Amino acid sequence: MGKITAKELTDSGICPTCYDRSHNHCVFGDNSRMIIYRDNLVECFLCGNPRCAGHTIISSVKHYKDMSEAPITLTHHMMSIAKRTMLAIRSVYRCSSVYLCTMCDGPMNHYHLQLIPRYPDEERGSRNFVKERIPYIHDARKVSGLRTILGYKK
């Protein structure tokens, strides 16, 4: 049997994020080198199929479908981490700004925020949320810089 896909899990009513975390990252792969912050409530990592360099995901550890289901304390914490991470991304990636969005709209979602940098040569606006995805290129210096700013030690 081949690798199970996020679509297959979603179609079966199973959260791919939770399944991936509890099954040794068999869906999305090991993202440990992309993690830039983690605590008992959230995991923050560079996106494996980003819309641009620095595209970051902040995901709740516990499963909630979206912000409306999450406790307000978690939402406050995620927004605090998002602000700190946005500042870190701007510093490390030298982008003009960082957009924040959440796109939990399918049948089986896992509450997460996306931080999408906009660079000086790009136009402003919502088109940045739907840029073509590009391959992830690991940059250990940038990951280290983000971890240092966010105070994350593996």
Side-chain angles (χ1 to χ4, degrees):
M1 182 174 160
K3 180 179 169 180
I4 191 160
T5 67
K7 181 181 181 334
E8 290 169 325
L9 291 167
T10 299
D11 290 349
S12 299
I14 299 167
C15 172
T17 301
C18 292
Y19 188 92
D20 184 65
R21 288 178 179 166
S22 64
H23 290 83
N24 201 28
H25 303 288
C26 67
V27 178
F28 302 117
D30 180 10
N31 72 347
S32 59
R33 70 184 188 145
M34 299 171 348
I35 293 174
I36 58 173
Y37 179 82
R38 182 187 295 160
D39 62 28
N40 62 333
L41 299 174
V42 300
E43 182 176 79
C44 185
F45 53 93
L46 293 167
C47 184
N49 59 338
R51 298 201 182 273
C52 63
H55 182 169
T56 301
I57 306 294
I58 302 172
S59 177
S60 63
V61 170
K62 186 175 176 186
H63 181 83
Y64 298 98
K65 180 180 182 276
D66 58 26
M67 186 184 293
S68 70
E69 290 186 354
I72 194 71
T73 53
L74 173 61
T75 298
H76 287 170
H77 182 65
M78 285 181 77
M79 288 298 168
S80 175
I81 297 300
K83 168 134 185 185
R84 290 178 48 213
T85 305
M86 291 167 101
L87 295 171
I89 291 168
R90 284 181 65 188
S91 174
V92 170
Y93 282 89
R94 305 279 186 226
C95 55
S96 298
S97 60
V98 180
Y99 295 111
L100 179 145
C101 65
T102 182
M103 293 185 244
C104 298
D105 65 351
M108 182 48 68
N109 290 295
H110 190 99
Y111 177 32
H112 69 285
L113 304 174
Q114 295 191 44
L115 304 178
I116 303 173
R118 182 180 59 77
Y119 291 91
D121 61 334
E122 296 177 308
E123 291 185 35
R124 294 184 311 253
S126 60
R127 285 184 295 239
N128 287 293
F129 296 126
V130 293
K131 292 182 218 176
E132 287 294 319
R133 294 198 180 263
I134 60 174
Y136 173 77
I137 298 171
H138 188 71
D139 185 327
R141 289 180 56 193
K142 287 187 174 155
V143 170
S144 178
L146 292 168
R147 287 175 175 171
T148 297
I149 293 169
L150 295 171
Y152 176 68
K153 294 176 182 25
K154 288 182 13 171

